[in-house]
C-alpha cells in the first residue's frame, strides 16, 4: 500500500478529530483504485471489512486491518469495481451483549468536511468539472517591469488559491529559464528553481491538486539534424531535480476526454496531485506524464486585446465543435496592449483596465466572460487565465469569486498576499502605463 495514501487518510482523521462529534474517519467503499504513474495496483478490501476497527498503531497495513490511525473506523459499502474510497467524518461503535449478539450504533455521519482545493464539494468532482484560476506567466514577478504579469511569487499565488500555473520557458546555454519574450527583458530564473518552490508547496498541502502548463518558447528551433531543439524531454530534468515528478499524475490516455479524468479525491488519495501539459513539441513516448495541451484542452483567443473576450476557439485551429465539447477549455482573460519599441513587437498587460478586467461584473469583466462561456458551451471554463489575479472589483481577488460562482460554491476566503500592489497601482493610470513602456525601452535600447 502506498504510504502517501495512508498518510492522507491519517491527516483526514486528525482534521476530523478536532471536532468531538467527528472523532474518527470512516472509510467507505470496498475497492481502492490507484491511478497514474507508479501509483500501484488495485487494492480490494477483505470481505469482513464491515465494522472492523483499526487500533492505534503504525501507518503500515492500515487498509488490511492490522494497524492504523488513532481510532480509525472502517465501514464497507457495495461500491462499483475500481471506485475510490471516500474519506468522510463520523463515528461507529459496536457493543456485544451477554448472548454474544452484536448491536451497532452509528452516529449521524456528516458529509466530508476536508476541503479539496479549498472546497469540500470538490473532493467528489472530476478534475474536468471544476473551474480554477490560472496565473498567466506565473513566474514573471518584477516590480516596475512591463514584462511582469503577477505581483506575488508562486508560493503566495498558491496560498491565495491559484491552482493552475503557466509560464514561458526559454532554452539558453542548455538550461531552461522562465523569460518573458526575451531573457534581457525579464529573466525570472531557472525552471528548476521555480519548480523547487512549487514542490515544497505541494508537499505541504496534501489535499490540493494543481496544474502546470509549460510554454515552450523555442518550439520552432531545430538542432543540427533538423529535429526540434526543445521538447518535453528538456523539461524532464528540471522536473526530476526539483522533486516534483513524484507528485505528477500520468493519465491512462494521451488525449483525455471530460469523462476520463478522475475526481480530485482520487488524485489526492493516490498522491498524484500535479497535472502537467506542454503547449508545443510534446513527446509522450519519452515523457508520458507531460500531455500535449491541445490534445486535451482548447483555448479562447490567446493574448487578447479585445475587451469583448469572445468565447470562441483560439488554439488549436481546426478542431470541430463536437471535439471541443469533449475537452477541457481555458479562457484567456488577460487584457493586453500591443507596443513596438526598438524593433521589438511586444504584447504587455493593459494595467489601465486591470481592475475592470478582473471584475465580478460589467463590460469586459471576467465574470461576464465566464457567464457567456457557460451559456455558449453549456459549462463554464475549466481555467480562467488572468494577470495580476489579486486585483479586481468590487474587491481584490474577485477572480476567485468568479470561479466560485462558476463552481456553484460560496467564496469565503480573503485575498490577497501579504503586500499590496496598491502602493504602486492603486488606480492604474495612463501615467503609470507610460512609465512601464519607458522601462521596456530602457531595457531594450
Amino acid at each position: 500500500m502506498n504510504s502517501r495514501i495512508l498518510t492522507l487518510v491519517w491527516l483526514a482523521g486528525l482534521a476530523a478529530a478536532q471536532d468531538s462529534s467527528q472523532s474518527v474517519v470512516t472509510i467507505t467503499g470496498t475497492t481502492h483504485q490507484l491511478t497514474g504513474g507508479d501509483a500501484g495496483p488495485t487494492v480490494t478490501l477483505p470481505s469482513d471489512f464491515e465494522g472492523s476497527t483499526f487500533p492505534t498503531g503504525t501507518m503500515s497495513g492500515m487498509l488490511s486491518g492490522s494497524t492504523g490511525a488513532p481510532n480509525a473506523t472502517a465501514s464497507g459499502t457495495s461500491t462499483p469495481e475500481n471506485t475510490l474510497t471516500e474519506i468522510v467524518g463520523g463515528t461507529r461503535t459496536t457493543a456485544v451483549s451477554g448472548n454474544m449478539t452484536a448491536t451497532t450504533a452509528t452516529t449521524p455521519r456528516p458529509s466530508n468536511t476536508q476541503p479539496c482545493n479549498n472546497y469540500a464539494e470538490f473532493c467528489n468532482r472530476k478534475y474536468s468539472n471544476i473551474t480554477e484560476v490560472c496565473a498567466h506567466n506565473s513566474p514573471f514577478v518584477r516590480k516596475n517591469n512591463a514584462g511582469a504579469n503577477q505581483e506575488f511569487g508562486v508560493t503566495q499565488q498558491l496560498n491565495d488559491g491559484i491552482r493552475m500555473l503557466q509560464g514561458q520557458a526559454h532554452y539558453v546555454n542548455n538550461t531552461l529559464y522562465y523569460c518573458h519574450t526575451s531573457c534581457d527583458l525579464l529573466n525570472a530564473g531557472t525552471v528548476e528553481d521555480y519548480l523547487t518552490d512549487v514542490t515544497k508547496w505541494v508537499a505541504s498541502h496534501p489535499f490540493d491538486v494543481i496544474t502546470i502548463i509549460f510554454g515552450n518558447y523555442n518550439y520552432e528551433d531545430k538542432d543540427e539534424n533538423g529535429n526540434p531543439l526543445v521538447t518535453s524531454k528538456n523539461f524532464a530534468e528540471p522536473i526530476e531535480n526539483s522533486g516534483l515528478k513524484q507528485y505528477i499524475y500520468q493519465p491512462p490516455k494521451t488525449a483525455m476526454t471530460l469523462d476520463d479524468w478522475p475526481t480530485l479525491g482520487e488524485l489526492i488519495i493516490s498522491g498524484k496531485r500535479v497535472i502537467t501539459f506542454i503547449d508545443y513539441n510534446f513527446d509522450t513516448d519519452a515523457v508520458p506524464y507531460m500531455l500535449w495541451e491541445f490534445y486535451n484542452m482548447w483555448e479562447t483567443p490567446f493574448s487578447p486585446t479585445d475587451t469583448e473576450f469572445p468565447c470562441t476557439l483560439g488554439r488549436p485551429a481546426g478542431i470541430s465543435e463536437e471535439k471541443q465539447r469533449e475537452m477541457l477549455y481555458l479562457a484567456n482573460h488577460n487584457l493586453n496592449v500591443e507596443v513596438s519599441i526598438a524593433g521589438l513587437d511586444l504584447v504587455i498587460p493593459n494595467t489601465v483596465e486591470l481592475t475592470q478586467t478582473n471584475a465580478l461584473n460589467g463590460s469586459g469583466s471576467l465574470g461576464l466572460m465566464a457567464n457567456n462561456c457557460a451559456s455558449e458551451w453549456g459549462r463554464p471554463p475549466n481555467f480562467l487565465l488572468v494577470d495580476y489575479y489579486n486585483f479586481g472589483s468590487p474587491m481584490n481577488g474577485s477572480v476567485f469569486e468568479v470561479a466560485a460562482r462558476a463552481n456553484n460554491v460560496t467564496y469565503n476566503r480573503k485575498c490577497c498576499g501579504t503586500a499590496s500592489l496598491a502602493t504602486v497601482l492603486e488606480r492604474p493610470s495612463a501615467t503609470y502605463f507610460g512609465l512601464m513602456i519607458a522601462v521596456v525601452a530602457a531595457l531594450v535600447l
Side-chain angles (χ1 to χ4, degrees), residues 260-316:
D260 291 330
W261 288 101
T263 66
L264 288 199
E266 290 172 323
L267 291 167
I268 287 167
I269 292 180
S270 75
K272 305 298 182 179
R273 301 179 285 108
V274 179
I275 318 295
T276 58
F277 298 95
I278 190 169
D279 58 359
Y280 296 109
N281 293 356
F282 68 97
D283 187 343
T284 47
D285 289 333
V287 189
Y289 56 80
M290 187 178 292
L291 298 177
W292 187 36
E293 178 186 356
F294 301 124
Y295 269 166
N296 297 275
M297 182 189 318
W298 60 271
E299 297 184 4
T300 64
F302 186 64
S303 293
T305 57
D306 181 3
T307 56
E308 293 298 317
F309 292 105
C311 208
T312 54
L313 176 64
R315 300 188 300 179

Side-chain angles (χ1 to χ4, degrees), residues 202-222:
V202 170
S204 63
H205 292 78
F207 295 99
D208 287 275
V209 175
I210 70 167
T211 304
I212 303 175
I213 297 180
F214 293 102
N216 183 1
Y217 178 81
N218 301 95
Y219 70 94
E220 293 182 317
D221 296 345
K222 308 292 183 182

Side-chain angles (χ1 to χ4, degrees), residues 77-156:
T77 60
S78 297
T79 55
E81 186 71 14
N82 296 334
T83 59
L84 190 75
T85 59
E86 175 190 1
I87 301 172
V88 296
T91 61
R92 184 182 182 91
T93 58
T94 300
V96 180
S97 64
N99 60 6
M100 300 302 292
T101 58
T103 59
T104 301
T106 304
T107 60
R109 194 171 66 196
S111 60
N112 181 38
T113 57
Q114 170 59 52
C116 301
N117 283 26
N118 296 321
Y119 295 96
E121 296 94 329
F122 289 178
C123 296
N124 291 329
R125 289 195 196 178
K126 286 182 177 289
Y127 171 83
S128 54
N129 189 31
I130 299 172
T131 298
E132 298 283 13
V133 180
C134 172
H136 175 229
N137 282 335
S138 164
F140 302 151
V141 179
R142 188 69 55 82
K143 187 176 181 180
N144 296 333
N145 189 309
N149 295 92
Q150 303 297 335
E151 178 186 4
F152 301 121
V154 65
T155 300
Q156 188 63 57

Side-chain angles (χ1 to χ4, degrees), residues 170-174 176 216-235 281:
H170 292 231
Y171 197 58
V172 182
N173 296 328
N174 298 318
L176 283 168
N216 183 1
Y217 178 81
N218 301 95
Y219 70 94
E220 293 182 317
D221 296 345
K222 308 292 183 182
D223 63 18
E224 62 274 11
N225 298 317
N227 299 315
L229 178 66
V230 181
T231 71
S232 50
K233 290 189 292 186
N234 298 90
F235 289 83
N281 293 356

Side-chain angles (χ1 to χ4, degrees), residues 160-178:
D160 285 335
I162 293 293
R163 290 296 175 268
M164 175 186 262
L165 307 168
Q166 182 271 344
Q168 181 186 95
H170 292 231
Y171 197 58
V172 182
N173 296 328
N174 298 318
T175 301
L176 283 168
Y177 292 86
Y178 274 125

Side-chain angles (χ1 to χ4, degrees), residues 8-18 22-25 69 87:
L8 288 174
V9 175
W10 177 67
L11 287 173
L14 292 182
Q18 294 176 2
Q22 300 177 38
S23 59
V24 299
V25 168
I87 301 172

